[in-house]
Amino acid sequence: MIAIAPARAGEGALLARLHASAFDRPWSAEELEQMLALVQAVTLVARGDDGLNPCGFVLARCVCGEAEILSIAVDPRSRRRGIARKLMETLIESLNEAQARDLFLEVDIANSAALGLYRGLGFVEAGRRRGYYAGAGGPSDALVLRLDLEAGAAAGFNMAQKPL
Ligand SMILES: CC(C)(COP(=O)(O)OP(=O)(O)OC[C@H]1O[C@@H](n2cnc3c(N)ncnc32)[C@H](O)[C@@H]1OP(=O)(O)O)[C@@H](O)C(=O)NCCC(=O)NCCS
């Protein structure tokens, strides 16, 4: 089973390892530690329910009711087990508690795994930045996606509470 809990101060190196396992351009432990320390940051880590084996994280920030995902990653060995969805659902619950109105993110249009995740949660396209990412196969567009948290909360969005 997987448990989701807030990251703790001092876990920048752990987040950096997970980030490096998922992205070509890794963020440093110091950068991630600084992000963790931001008062507006919400950072959740997925671990085995013994509290060990961190396998994914989501990092967001929320300013004046508007939230934004800065990064989400799941270790390649732990993918397709619903861990990212559970991280996102827990994040959305926490943002609902904080009465945030909207959740935004940016995603490469070529990232079909991430697009499937976000569409399944109800995100819709809010904008497009043409040629924003420099991919190996040439420039690729960024989609700006938005989730209406107020509408989701009013409709009774609730985490499925199913064990993974
Ligand atoms: C995107 C990512 C976080 C998904 O993590 P995950 O734990 O494997 O995702 P989940 O198992 O929770 O999958 C949830 C949904 O996402 C979609 N999805 C996930 N992986 C997919 C894949 N390889 N291909 C197609 N759809 C996929 C599916 O719709 C899936 O629902 P389903 O299993 O019911 O079909 C992971 O692939 C990752 O870390 N990628 C590299 C980093 C990255 O791209 N982050 C996002 C930047 S915007």
Side-chain angles (χ1 to χ4, degrees):
M1 292 231 298
I2 295 294
I4 309 287
R8 295 181 289 265
E11 290 193 318
L14 179 160
L15 298 182
R17 277 197 301 280
L18 288 170
H19 190 278
S21 78
F23 293 100
D24 293 338
R25 276 186 264 168
W27 292 355
S28 71
E30 292 73 27
E31 279 174 287
L32 282 154
E33 196 64 50
Q34 282 167 12
M35 290 185 199
L36 264 179
L38 293 173
V39 278
Q40 310 98 328
V42 186
T43 312
L44 301 171
V45 180
R47 298 178 164 88
D49 60 4
D50 52 5
L52 303 173
N53 303 318
C55 53
F57 76 94
V58 61
L59 168 59
R61 72 176 161 201
C62 183
V63 179
C64 299
E66 196 164 283
E68 176 190 15
I69 293 185
L70 302 177
S71 191
I72 177 167
V74 171
D75 184 291
R77 291 164 299 182
S78 303
R79 290 185 188 163
R80 295 314 299 260
R81 291 171 50 203
I83 293 170
R85 186 186 293 118
K86 190 163 178 178
L87 280 163
M88 289 292 298
E89 288 173 345
T90 310
L91 172 70
I92 290 165
E93 282 208 333
S94 127
L95 292 171
N96 282 337
E97 278 165 24
Q99 302 191 323
R101 292 183 303 277
D102 295 296
L103 175 57
F104 288 92
L105 59 86
E106 241 167 46
V107 57
D108 187 331
I109 199 164
N111 190 343
S112 54
L115 281 171
L117 168 70
Y118 303 138
R119 290 204 168 114
L121 288 162
F123 280 83
V124 295
E125 190 172 330
R128 178 184 289 241
R129 299 191 171 122
R130 297 212 180 266
Y132 187 75
Y133 294 106
S140 163
D141 293 354
L143 292 182
V144 180
L145 302 186
R146 169 180 173 260
L147 182 69
D148 184 337
L149 293 168
E150 283 179 320
F157 177 90
N158 207 348
M159 186 166 55
Q161 297 289 359
K162 285 190 216 125
L164 289 174

